[in-house]
């Protein structure tokens, strides 16, 4: 989609000021393609240079993370925290530990987080962080050593009213525990609201682990309902086999969907009888093994190496692994095979060309900043519990999550209708998130 002529120079400036950060460029362009129509209705946004300001992080921190491995060798990694926008509340967004992490990845994720958090309707700003550390194959002692060194630098930038990280790829309950322990040690304060995704034994939310997958499923349920359909009997394919994918599959099955496949970085499993989610959890979460082992233990299933799960015919596709995993080619295949709905459990897993293919084919497409907002929404609920020194039941927390995801869907749907793009959830999400942040920035003045 072409940019509005008034936005072309802004986008060119973003690219020039952030060379080589292709994921960030992609995220910015995707938002700018939607908000051109907003600028005509709101000349005050242009006057206050809201777009230029919203594309520039409020603060970026890059730091060295030295630690010692089990062989006594000193290792050096690079840590990042991008505090993107705090107009609506403290910076909120996860930490990613993965070798692919660099400044452009963190900025793209932080930029997306600003609008995702705004869509929840909760008082949270947007940020993101992480490190180019690979936790795969590392012992618990090595993970703890890295987390403690990482937090030793990061802690000075955090606070429950300033910046509240959570988990992301490579950062689960174990890592959050080590990070919080070091924060507590360094500050001599039990600020349980300074990190979310904590264990339930020290202030965590009952369904934070499940929240992103559950939330994505709730959002797709609403998209299907808007078309007079449901998950009941729908053949569903999920990419990934980590936290988001596992709990996406679990909730889809609870809602009557038939999940036949999931994947990892080396291939995919096809199980026509329905994926055994408990077995995937055992292999990936408890044994930290490879998905290929699933087919060895379940005779009816087969493991297909070095192929993508999107070649399997399905009615619902739920990308839950990483960015840019569905290109135009994969989107074409999904459409030709009868796909009706796509919900992005991961952050920006569909390329712009893939989004175009889905839009033109009339596929119900839930963009990540809306569909996977359940994780951060539940993090904000965890912050509420911590601030009130309270503990909520699992049932109450899941009910609140579903209510929030329904409101996110309805906000995107109504905004798309208002701006003459009915059914375009991408435009609806971008515009609704952008206008909420923009209005708050105007109210706060030039800061």
């Amino acid at each position: 989609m072409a940019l509005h002529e008034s936005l072309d120079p802004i986008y060119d400036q973003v690219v020039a000021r952030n060379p080589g950060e292709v994921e960030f460029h992609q995220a910015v362009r995707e938002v700018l393609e939607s908000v051109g129509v907003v600028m005509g209705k709101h000349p005050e946004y242009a006057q206050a240079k809201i777009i230029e300001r919203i594309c520039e992080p409020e603060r970026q921190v890059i730091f060295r993370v030295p630690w010692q491995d089990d062989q006594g060798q000193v290792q050096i990694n690079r840590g990042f925290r991008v505090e993107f926008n705090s107009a609506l509340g403290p910076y909120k967004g996860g930490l990613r530990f993965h070798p692919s992490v660099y400044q452009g990845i963190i900025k793209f994720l932080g930029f997306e987080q600003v609008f995702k958090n705004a869509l929840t309707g909760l008082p949270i700003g947007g940020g993101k962080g992480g490190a180019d550390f690979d936790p795969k194959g590392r012992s618990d002692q090595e993970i703890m050593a890295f987390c403690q060194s990482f937090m030793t630098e990061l802690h000075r930038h955090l606070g429950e009213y300033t910046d509240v990280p959570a988990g992301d790829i490579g950062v689960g309950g174990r890592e959050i525990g080590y990070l919080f322990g070091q924060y507590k040690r360094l500050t001599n304060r039990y600020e349980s609201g300074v990190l979310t995704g904590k264990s339930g034994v020290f202030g965590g939310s009952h369904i934070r682990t499940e929240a992103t997958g559950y939330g994505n499923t709730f959002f797709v349920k609403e998209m299907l309902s808007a078309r007079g359909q449901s998950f009941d009997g729908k053949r569903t394919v999920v990419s990934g086999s980590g936290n988001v994918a596992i709990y996406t599959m679990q909730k889809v099955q609870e809602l009557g969907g038939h999940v036949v496949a999931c994947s990892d970085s080396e291939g995919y499993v096809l199980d026509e009888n329905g994926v055994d989610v408990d077995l995937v959890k055992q292999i990936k979460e408890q044994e930290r093994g490879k998905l290929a082992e699933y087919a060895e233990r379940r005779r009816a299933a087969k493991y297909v190496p070095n192929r993508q799960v999107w070649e399997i015919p399905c009615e619902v596709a739920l990308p839950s692994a990483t960015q840019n995993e569905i290109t135009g080619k994969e989107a074409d295949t999904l459409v030709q095979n009868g796909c009706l709905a796509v919900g992005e459990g991961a952050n920006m897993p569909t390329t712009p060309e893939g989004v175009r293919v889905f839009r033109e084919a009339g596929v119900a497409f839930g963009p990540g900043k809306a569909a996977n907002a359940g994780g951060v929404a539940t993090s904000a609920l965890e912050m509420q519990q911590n601030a009130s020194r309270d503990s909520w039941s699992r049932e109450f927390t899941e009910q609140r999550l579903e209510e929030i995801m329904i409101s996110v869907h309805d906000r995107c749907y109504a905004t798309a209708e208002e701006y003459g793009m009915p059914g375009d959830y991408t435009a609806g999400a971008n515009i609704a998130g952008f206008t909420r942040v923009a209005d708050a920035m105007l109210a706060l003045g030039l800061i």
Side-chain angles (χ1 to χ4, degrees):
M1 185 186 296
L3 292 180
H4 187 277
E5 60 181 14
S6 66
L7 301 182
D8 266 324
I10 297 176
Y11 177 72
D12 291 343
Q13 183 182 50
V14 168
V15 173
R17 288 169 64 87
N18 303 276
E21 298 174 359
V22 292
E23 298 87 356
F24 179 51
H25 303 163
Q26 180 182 337
V28 170
R29 185 177 182 92
E30 193 255 344
V31 170
L32 295 189
E33 286 177 348
S34 298
V35 301
V37 65
V38 178
M39 304 309 287
K41 285 191 173 185
H42 294 278
E44 67 273 20
Y45 292 166
Q47 185 178 0
K49 295 205 169 182
I50 291 294
I51 292 181
E52 291 91 333
R53 289 160 58 196
I54 219 167
C55 291
E56 186 68 29
E58 293 176 9
R59 187 176 297 108
Q60 300 180 68
V61 183
I62 304 176
F63 53 95
R64 181 178 63 202
V65 188
W67 58 284
Q68 195 171 56
D69 66 21
D70 288 346
Q71 286 69 50
Q73 298 296 311
V74 173
Q75 304 289 336
I76 307 293
N77 286 98
R78 181 174 287 178
F80 304 87
R81 188 67 179 172
V82 175
E83 297 175 333
F84 225 105
N85 192 290
S86 59
L88 293 173
Y91 309 106
K92 188 81 194 76
L95 299 170
R96 175 175 294 192
F97 292 170
H98 193 272
S100 66
V101 166
Y102 79 108
Q103 192 167 0
I105 290 278
I106 298 301
K107 284 169 70 175
F108 127 62
L109 292 168
F111 185 76
E112 289 278 293
Q113 199 78 46
V114 172
F115 307 105
K116 179 189 302 185
N117 294 0
L119 284 171
T120 68
L122 300 169
I124 43 177
K128 205 75 177 183
D132 57 359
F133 168 73
D134 189 355
K136 284 187 178 178
R138 294 293 183 182
S139 68
D140 282 353
Q141 178 61 39
E142 289 174 322
I143 298 286
M144 182 172 67
F146 177 82
C147 287
Q148 289 178 342
S149 181
F150 183 85
M151 183 54 78
T152 297
E153 174 59 34
L154 185 63
H155 83 280
R156 70 195 74 223
H157 305 288
L158 305 183
E160 57 186 330
Y161 299 108
T162 306
D163 187 349
V164 182
D168 193 81
I169 293 173
V171 179
R174 173 183 59 174
E175 290 76 18
I176 292 294
Y178 294 148
L179 290 164
F180 181 72
Q182 184 72 350
Y183 180 87
K184 174 178 170 293
R185 180 186 190 186
L186 291 166
T187 63
N188 194 32
R189 294 193 301 271
Y190 205 105
E191 289 183 10
S192 53
V194 79
L195 281 168
T196 58
K198 301 183 296 296
S199 165
V201 301
F202 64 100
S205 169
H206 278 293
I207 65 159
R208 177 59 187 90
T209 303
E210 299 93 334
T212 305
Y214 280 15
N216 185 31
T217 310
F218 289 143
F219 189 91
V220 175
K221 173 176 172 266
E222 293 303 307
M223 289 201 303
L224 290 169
S225 178
R227 297 183 171 205
Q229 299 177 324
S230 72
F231 265 112
D232 195 29
K234 292 284 190 301
R235 184 179 170 89
T236 303
V237 165
V238 179
S239 69
S241 51
N243 181 54
V244 178
I246 285 171
Y247 294 104
T248 295
M249 293 189 288
Q250 183 184 85
K251 186 54 67 175
V252 169
Q253 290 178 347
E254 287 179 16
L255 294 175
H258 185 57
V259 182
V260 297
C262 61
S263 64
D264 63 9
S265 59
E266 298 178 4
Y268 68 79
V269 156
L270 176 62
D271 189 340
E272 293 289 357
N273 293 329
V275 171
D276 184 337
V277 178
D278 288 337
L279 179 56
V280 176
K281 286 174 68 174
Q282 180 181 332
I283 292 169
K284 301 299 290 187
E285 293 188 341
Q286 298 172 24
E287 302 171 8
R288 301 189 186 276
K290 297 184 177 181
L291 193 59
E293 297 169 30
Y294 180 98
E296 296 170 6
R297 304 184 198 182
R298 194 160 158 101
R299 297 174 67 181
K302 68 175 181 178
Y303 184 76
V304 181
N306 305 316
R307 300 276 285 277
Q308 284 194 294
V309 74
W310 311 121
E311 65 187 20
I312 301 170
C314 65
E315 294 166 282
V316 179
L318 302 173
S320 306
T322 191
Q323 65 268 8
N324 292 329
E325 57 175 298
I326 299 181
T327 67
K329 179 182 177 182
E330 284 80 34
D332 271 327
T333 300
L334 284 164
V335 169
Q336 290 168 16
N337 285 334
C339 185
L340 303 173
V342 177
E344 293 191 319
N347 290 306
M348 206 169 71
T350 311
T351 66
E353 178 63 16
V355 175
R356 182 192 64 77
V357 170
F358 290 140
R359 182 187 293 118
E360 292 179 357
V363 172
F365 178 76
K369 63 172 60 70
N372 70 40
V376 74
T378 305
S379 282
L381 298 180
E382 184 175 328
M383 292 166 66
Q384 289 182 26
Q385 293 174 78
N386 296 155
S388 61
R389 301 293 190 267
D390 199 359
S391 178
W392 296 353
S393 70
R394 179 183 179 87
E395 293 75 20
F396 178 75
T397 308
E398 184 172 341
Q399 177 188 334
R400 288 284 291 117
L401 169 62
E402 184 169 11
E403 289 169 355
I404 290 169
M405 293 311 299
I406 291 172
S407 73
V408 171
H409 169 272
D410 293 349
R411 191 172 289 121
C412 295
Y413 188 90
T415 303
E417 290 256 337
E418 178 187 349
Y419 282 87
M421 294 173 275
D424 189 337
Y425 289 96
T426 299
N430 286 334
I431 294 170
F434 172 79
T435 53
R436 183 163 186 246
V437 177
D439 289 343
M441 290 175 70
L442 283 176
L444 295 175
L446 183 57
I447 58 172

